Amino acid sequence: MFCFPYPRNADVESIRVPLITRSHYPITGETNFVDLLMTALDAETQKIKAVKSDGQESTGFDLIHSLASALQSCLFFGVASEALGRSIRHEEFVGTDPDGPRLSIDLRIPVWYWRELRARWDELDDSLTAAEFEAKRAQLKKLYKAAQIAVIYMDLLANRLEDDKLTVIILSIYMLLYLVAYVLKFTTLKVAHTTTSSAPTKLLKRRMVKNGWCEKRLNFLDASPMSYPAFYFLSSLKPPRINGEEHSSCSSKRCLVTNKLSKPLHRTTECLCEDVVVPIDRVNSIVAAGGIPLVRITRSPLGKTELEVVPYTPSSRFIAISHVWADQQFGSAQNCLPKCQVEYLGDVLSILPISADHWGLREWVANWWSARPGEIAPPSRAYEYFWLDSFVVPQAVEHADLRIKAIESMNLIYAAASHTIVFDKGLQALDAGRYLASLVYGGRPTYYSPQDENLLEVVASIYASNWMGRAWTLQEGILSRQIVFPLHGSIAYLKLLWPYHDDGFGGFWDYLVTRIPKDFRRSARDLLPRRAKPESEVSKRLQDDSEPFREAVRHELFTHMKKSLHVEDYKDYARTPADRAARFVKAHSLLQSRTTTQAKDIPLILMNMSCMNANAISQSKTIDARMKRIFYGLESLPVELLFSDCARMDPCTVDAWIPLEIVPETFDGRHTLKLSPAGFTFQTRKDAQALKFYLLSSAHRSDRFRLLLPDWKDAKSLKYNVEVLQRSNGKQAAAPTSVWCIVVDNQSPERGARFVVNRVVGDKYFLHFDCPLRLTEINDSKTAGDAQQDPELECGAVSLNGKFIIERSHEPQDMSISRPQNPEQYSDRLIVIGQVVFSIIYLGERYLIRVIWGDENSMSTLFYIFWGLWNFKQRHWVERALIAFVHHAWMATYQPDWDPNGHWKWFWKLSNWEPPIPFRTLNKWWCTFFFFLSLQTSSWSGVATVTLYWLPLFPKQELINIQAERTCLQALKEFEKALDPDHISRLKKVNNLGTLCRNQGKLGKVEKTYQRALQGYEKTLGADHASTLDMVGNLSNLSADQ
């Protein structure tokens, strides 16, 4: 029994930490672990000296062994003992290593420690007063921060020593600190996450490659770092694959496994069924006319399986099929599939339950009428039509133009589909159990879902699957409304990969209560009569905690999967160039971990993910022209693209700097290339140091040379060995001026880029890109002889000041398309527009009633009942008509012939207009005002009406924050009446109020609140008190946020 989860039925052994230390840690209450570590290291050094004095040899291994022993004694057992309040014996953690007689500790940490740790702090919470408990908590928090600083220092040292034993001990300390942070609450502490330069991260990466992961897939850590327990779980999981793939030779830049298109296999080896061919002439005619073919499986009068093809219409309800071609399941180069595969596809489509969005009166009545708990609805067959590339993308060589046209319409297909079904053989073979479930909360069961206890394995398997490694998956995940994964015996909906039972962390009420600041809850509890808590209740809850952090790890992996697949940000508008540039950076970061990213797929994917007009892709036939459209369409680009070692455009052109592939790169946002009438200008953020440009003294063009750079801090020069990473074509002639300059990256000085100075106008330098560079600093004492032997390769440099501009080749085109990826984002405007339209109709009807009947007050009660029902239905019709209109306009943007300046121009200008105060904010203010006005005037119909429209505008967390802020304000008013202005309890309420405001993004209000609390703490407790220092830390973090 261990704290952290491990893949079930995994044949990968858990990592065990060797027990090196022999000294027990005594509890001292000391929080300076650096001093304790140095003391322990000195003791180990004395032992080494004693060995030397006896005439025995000492090696570097002895020093590493001593460091590991001191680290394990002071940090691992020290933190564990201090948090638990007693000295822990080694025997309590240690077990026997399965591979030998050595004693070792399982990295997952025995569950008894978490039970005892949690029980101790629950007991302290119940037995101590608020002030006493907060003092204990502050002491542990200080210990946690000191240990975290010490282990980070040791991590940097282990990265240089490259010793696995020391690295494993550091990893175990990270896992232990996660437990302590969970006791102290994550909201007030920063838990250590994976970094590319961390020794434990590198160790787990090597473990993943050994387990079959592609090293390029591991680039996701750069875009989405995660905690060590979650990353350790992934490292222990083998990717779910049916076909064997060898990724041991792959690098972080490229995946060397290529999957060629082959003939699809039958469902079983014994099957010899015939192929089902799609009517390709019908497909070609629909594609040629600019339409989208949809397919339906039918039966002929003779019982033969056939395929019917129809064109897509805005009212069509269909399923998009996404699959892995390497699985040889639905991939075909002949526009046909075996009959067994077609029938299997039809069976999966038939059992999909009807979504609540597609329910009619009959479905709602059936759901209300049926109360049988074990009922499974018969095959719905609501989604008969589907889109599968093997059927509807012409594969013949003579129809290559139609093939390109069909592929370019894929963005519309996934955006318009009701569901996207993912077929991955590795996931289809995953047995996660099943239980009766419904798409509607409390509704009758209509399908089988994976069992809650297996959801972690489901989420992790999807994360590690081959389907997640595809470049197209990134686009499909963003565009699709609902993604469904068929498993072995069950169906997993991406949005519903969440347990349906109380998993021990509490339901919604517990979640709501925990969002209220704990200090306020404790103060309110202290006012009530003290009541002893039964011991059995705590013990029972803890004893049932098997793998207590299983759901916490699942929640983290699920969040990371949504960030890297179903990105919520892309559902909203990207109205400004800065928004589109930010999405380009995010898209580039996510594509770095896709193993099957082909150069020809990159332009379309980047355009869609950057919220640009992807229809313009069809106007360019080559990859170079398409990439040029993207980079000229973005008005802001990260400078780091110039330093990347990747394939680029033709070096004989002005646009030789534009990359043609995605390689691992980190963008920090400090330096950007801004598109201006003159070209791409280098710009630096206000709080960052500008890039350094140097003019080279030699016109010699070489792949390797020695460079002398003037140091801006010292008078001496710095020497570097310079190597060209991606060399331009050697046939390219040098510029007429033969003047070269380089730029050096400040963040990473070992790289830069070389340019040709084409012309100089005043203080403006107009540049042409040549190649990226790698710089390695050298020591004069080691390279003096080499410099004398090869002096012609030495080149000096002079610093340059001015404006540096990369010239452009043509006028950029406006390819912005400010629309959301989902028409649901129009709901905030549709509410207001629909209310206005309905009010006009309502007033017109009342006018007609008065004209026809004279006095409307004379009408009977029955008439008003029917009129009320009529108005309700009328409002529904108005909303449906507006949604259909918006959906039609939204779908038109995906058509190949769509023009942003066409007849829909007025609609998009109206939709994209944003007042100085955001429209959604204005809508919330109005709804809030009308709600409280109706509440004050006892207009309960107004309260009900606004509530129906108001609640959907607020995320659940925002509603909880509003309620918690109101509760804190009310408590603060009560404390102000009863306590002094500088009373500790009152200052804590002020601090809690500031934290809530910070969660809501009200940074201006937060600063005033924190300053008020800081002044009170300094006056009451002094400047060196822990609470005062915490307030100083809060203010510094706030400054970083601002």
Side-chain angles (χ1 to χ4, degrees), residues 296-338:
R296 183 177 68 167
I297 303 173
T298 61
R299 294 278 184 178
S300 67
L302 300 178
K304 185 178 179 180
T305 301
E306 296 179 345
L307 299 175
E308 176 189 357
V309 180
V310 299
Y312 163 80
T313 61
S315 60
S316 299
R317 183 191 300 174
F318 69 97
I319 300 295
I321 307 298
S322 177
H323 62 100
V324 179
W325 282 68
D327 287 344
Q328 297 182 267
Q329 190 171 201
F330 296 125
S332 173
Q334 304 296 329
N335 290 115
C336 62
L337 287 177

Side-chain angles (χ1 to χ4, degrees), residues 842 846 849 855-871:
Y842 174 77
R846 291 193 61 178
I849 291 175
D855 185 11
E856 63 179 6
N857 294 326
S858 62
M859 308 304 294
S860 64
T861 304
L862 186 62
F863 171 81
Y864 281 110
I865 292 176
F866 280 104
W867 192 34
L869 293 175
W870 165 258
N871 287 334

Side-chain angles (χ1 to χ4, degrees), residues 798-818:
V798 179
S799 61
L800 291 177
N801 294 313
K803 295 182 179 179
F804 301 91
I805 303 171
I806 300 178
E807 291 191 303
R808 69 185 195 186
S809 60
H810 65 281
E811 291 292 330
Q813 298 181 4
D814 182 14
M815 291 187 295
S816 61
I817 174 173
S818 296

Side-chain angles (χ1 to χ4, degrees), residues 695-746:
L695 185 66
L696 300 184
S697 61
S698 173
H700 184 75
R701 190 174 188 171
S702 175
D703 288 350
R704 296 174 182 272
F705 59 95
R706 182 172 294 107
L707 179 65
L708 279 71
L709 291 182
D711 192 352
W712 289 22
K713 297 180 181 180
D714 302 325
K716 64 179 182 179
S717 298
L718 298 177
K719 290 186 178 182
Y720 293 91
N721 280 331
V722 182
E723 179 184 0
V724 171
L725 294 181
Q726 183 264 328
R727 176 63 196 276
S728 299
N729 191 347
K731 297 181 180 180
Q732 179 186 0
T737 58
S738 298
V739 178
W740 302 85
C741 75
I742 64 170
V743 58
V744 180
D745 187 10
N746 294 337

